[in-house]
Amino acid sequence: MQDQFDSGGTFAPSFDELEHGARVAWRNNNRCIGRLFWQSLKVFDERGLQSARDVAWALYRHIEFATNEGKIRPTCTVFDPSVRIWNHQLLRYAGYVTENGILGDPDSVEFTRICEGLGWKENRTAFDILPLVVQVHGTEPKWFAIPEDLIVEVPIVHPQLSRFDALDLKWYAVPILSDMGLEIGGIVYPAAPFNGWYMGTEIGARNLADSGRYDMLPRVAALMGLDTTSESTLWRDRALVELNVAVLHSYKSRGVTIVDHHTAARQFERFTQSEREAGRELTGEWAWLIPPLSPATTSIFHHQYEDVMILPNYVRQPRAW
Ligand code: ARG
């Protein structure tokens, strides 16, 4: 009976309540296509940690446990409400503004500057893993480099197009969201990093393809020898498909869990059905559930979803910085 209050003096859920809450928060998250597996979420209760260093160690453990040498395990680590992680994801590539445009991930430019301001030293490659930035009790944040042996990355190669290697692309194995709050029973845990595994299109149709991200479609089209002088050759679409083939092929051949969007959409249908059987109303956000590649080939495209927010949930919160 001693652990029922957190550092802020508010009533704190038991471990079982926390674990169930974190799982139901996943089940309730309208933007997630992967919710069929909500009951498998592994929850680490680290609400007792007070120092930035201890939090960083728990984050290393999260990365290692979740990665599991490629057999990715959905995981959530919950910290005391006084903890805040400044990273968007635990693993993420830096982005730098240079004379010749942006090097690395344009999405990380601002956060990369913050890391540099804190004293982090970059390598200046297109794929520098950013450090963890941890803040406790509103004090000055501290940065921690992630040990290299914890980081699994996948070089992107194509099963037929050998020239693909020359693009020198890779991506990290596990997407671990770390800037969303976990809201359970009226308490928001601002630091509750969680992960599933990737759906291929997140990497192949967004991270590596968006013109505001790694912008690889023109280079993929070039190595495929496509005619890019007219949009109506659909060179972007053809390049996009091969880039996505490469992502799925690369993760699979390295033994890193990944799901294609057709399989994920079918799993989501099963989720829809199991929620119906459990007597629960399904909620969802259509624009996020449909995959960015060939959406109309999945059943999700042809359904409507009620976009109502049910708690517990993973919630957006203002930037920490
Ligand atoms: N879309 C984000 C990214 O590409 C990751 C979001 C969470 N994705 C997931 N499969 N759990 O990095």
Side-chain angles (χ1 to χ4, degrees):
M1 293 305 282
Q2 42 175 240
D3 277 328
Q4 296 191 349
F5 293 85
D6 64 26
S7 69
T10 41
F11 187 74
S14 68
F15 173 74
D16 286 351
E17 289 163 343
L18 189 76
E19 181 184 60
H20 188 66
R23 290 173 175 171
V24 171
W26 183 6
R27 187 180 80 202
N28 285 336
N29 200 275
N30 290 354
R31 295 180 166 184
C32 180
I33 192 175
R35 286 181 273 165
L36 177 63
F37 304 103
W38 65 275
Q39 290 167 98
S40 71
L41 184 71
K42 164 76 181 184
V43 177
F44 288 108
D45 181 0
E46 293 294 7
R47 289 174 294 173
L49 303 184
Q50 294 294 329
S51 76
R53 168 155 295 271
D54 288 349
V55 169
W57 279 89
L59 296 176
Y60 295 159
R61 196 264 317 269
H62 183 132
I63 293 169
E64 187 165 34
F65 181 89
T67 305
N68 191 29
E69 293 174 343
K71 294 190 68 63
I72 295 171
R73 295 185 277 214
T75 305
C76 178
T77 304
V78 185
F79 295 98
D80 184 84
S82 59
V83 176
R84 187 74 202 258
I85 300 162
W86 283 25
N87 308 65
H88 161 57
Q89 294 182 23
L90 297 186
L91 300 166
R92 198 66 164 168
Y93 298 121
Y96 312 98
V97 178
T98 76
E99 284 159 21
N100 319 313
I102 290 176
L103 173 68
D105 194 341
D107 206 41
S108 300
V109 165
E110 276 184 79
F111 181 63
T112 302
R113 274 204 209 102
I114 288 183
C115 294
E116 290 170 328
L118 291 170
W120 174 67
K121 290 276 170 287
E122 72 278 14
N123 284 326
R124 296 243 160 195
T125 74
F127 299 99
D128 292 352
I129 291 280
L130 288 158
L132 300 172
V133 178
V134 178
Q135 180 179 34
V136 293
H137 291 293
T139 59
E140 185 68 6
K142 294 193 165 69
W143 66 270
F144 303 87
I146 303 174
E148 268 171 38
D149 58 328
L150 296 185
I151 304 171
V152 172
E153 295 177 293
V154 178
I156 308 300
V157 296
H158 192 283
Q160 289 90 30
L161 303 165
S162 55
R163 276 164 303 172
F164 225 89
D165 310 14
L167 296 175
D168 261 320
L169 297 177
K170 61 176 173 178
W171 203 256
Y172 50 85
V174 196
I176 313 171
L177 278 281
S178 51
D179 59 358
M180 294 183 83
L182 168 57
E183 184 166 349
I184 297 179
I187 305 172
V188 178
Y189 294 95
F194 62 87
N195 71 277
W197 49 77
Y198 265 116
M199 180 164 82
T201 55
E202 298 184 86
I203 304 165
R206 301 299 312 280
N207 301 343
L208 295 178
D210 277 4
S211 57
R213 298 291 299 287
Y214 280 79
D215 194 21
M216 284 294 146
L217 297 185
R219 296 185 54 196
V220 173
L223 74 84
M224 291 172 67
L226 301 179
D227 174 5
T228 59
T229 59
S230 159
E231 287 296 346
S232 65
T233 65
L234 300 189
W235 63 268
R236 291 181 203 278
D237 309 71
R238 297 178 69 182
L240 191 57
V241 168
E242 296 312 330
L243 180 52
N244 279 272
V245 166
V247 167
L248 291 167
H249 165 79
S250 305
Y251 274 63
K252 282 185 185 231
S253 54
R254 284 278 172 135
V256 175
T257 311
I258 194 158
V259 65
D260 67 82
H261 48 293
H262 303 289
T263 303
R266 252 181 267 115
Q267 290 167 345
F268 187 75
E269 267 182 70
R270 283 172 55 202
F271 172 69
T272 306
Q273 200 184 320
S274 69
E275 288 301 284
R276 199 183 303 121
E277 283 163 14
R280 285 187 290 263
E281 212 74 65
L282 176 78
T283 61
E285 195 172 338
W286 186 90
W288 277 69
L289 290 171
I290 57 163
L293 181 63
S294 314
T297 65
T298 68
S299 67
I300 299 174
F301 186 89
H302 307 281
H303 282 94
Q304 286 177 9
Y305 302 93
E306 182 109 49
D307 184 16
V308 180
M309 154 86 141
I310 297 176
L311 295 173
N313 220 315
Y314 295 96
V315 296
R316 278 188 294 167
Q317 50 188 357
R319 273 188 183 166
W321 32 282

